[in-house]
Amino acid sequence: SKMETGKKHVFPCKKVALNSYGNIIIEVPCGKQDFSYKLVPEKEIYVEEIGKSILLTRQKPEGSSIKIKLTGGVFEVRSKRDGDRFSPYNMTGTKKLKDYFIDEKIPQNERWKIPVITCDGQIAAVGGRVDNSFAVNEDSSALFIIIR
């Protein structure tokens, strides 16, 4: 039977087939999950929801890593939240995370997986991009963020 736009069919496995303007989209509703973990420097944290480990360390690692200014605050890794804004390194002004993800061409269903690292509630880094206020200059001590 021909499905009209907006019609849905829910399979037993909770996958949803949705007709969106003639495109059939298969959605897995249980895919997107909010997460939030406290980060303690030198202690690797496994984020089950995205299947990645995150480590804040003072030791400069081999390979690629991001560095942020070492401050005495409380660090956390979490999923994005509505209204999140940050000031991407090397850009002026702040940007909504949603707009940043659009600029970076990150598909909507992948965005929740990008780890947001905060310090005392302020965004320090989003994925591999540091916030301007946490950018490291020569004389500030740094924390390296390793996401693997």
Side-chain angles (χ1 to χ4, degrees):
S1 68
K2 193 165 168 277
M3 280 176 76
E4 293 160 38
T5 201
K7 282 250 176 91
K8 279 187 181 183
H9 175 81
V10 182
F11 296 101
C13 59
K14 290 214 167 54
K15 281 193 173 110
V16 177
L18 164 71
N19 181 356
S20 172
Y21 309 105
N23 296 318
I24 302 299
I25 296 169
I26 307 287
E27 291 178 342
V28 185
C30 54
K32 183 181 179 298
Q33 292 171 317
D34 289 333
F35 58 89
S36 170
Y37 295 85
K38 200 169 166 182
L39 285 176
V40 180
E42 311 308 334
K43 186 170 177 273
E44 195 158 345
I45 296 289
Y46 181 67
V47 181
E48 206 174 325
E49 289 84 351
I50 59 173
K52 287 191 189 308
S53 291
I54 304 205
L55 173 66
L56 289 183
T57 177
R58 288 184 177 168
Q59 309 302 312
K60 183 170 171 38
E62 290 292 309
S64 65
S65 63
I66 326 153
K67 56 184 185 175
I68 57 172
K69 210 176 275 182
L70 175 57
T71 60
V74 175
F75 288 96
E76 192 184 26
V77 57
R78 62 168 175 79
S79 48
K80 70 179 183 67
R81 295 186 185 145
D82 285 347
D84 270 351
R85 302 183 75 90
F86 86 128
S87 173
Y89 183 58
N90 274 342
M91 274 183 50
T92 47
T94 63
K95 225 178 174 77
K96 280 190 180 147
L97 238 54
K98 184 184 171 185
D99 296 332
Y100 170 71
F101 288 145
I102 290 169
D103 291 350
E104 296 292 307
K105 297 184 172 46
I106 294 163
Q108 208 167 348
N109 58 340
E110 295 291 312
R111 292 174 193 168
W112 71 273
K113 295 180 189 166
I114 310 255
V116 174
I117 305 217
T118 63
C119 177
D120 290 340
Q122 193 189 349
I123 293 179
V126 176
R129 193 80 175 260
V130 177
D131 183 277
N132 274 318
S133 52
F134 286 87
V136 177
N137 52 33
E138 277 63 64
D139 38 55
S140 55
S141 45
L143 264 182
F144 295 92
I145 305 172
I146 303 164
I147 301 169
R148 53 180 167 221

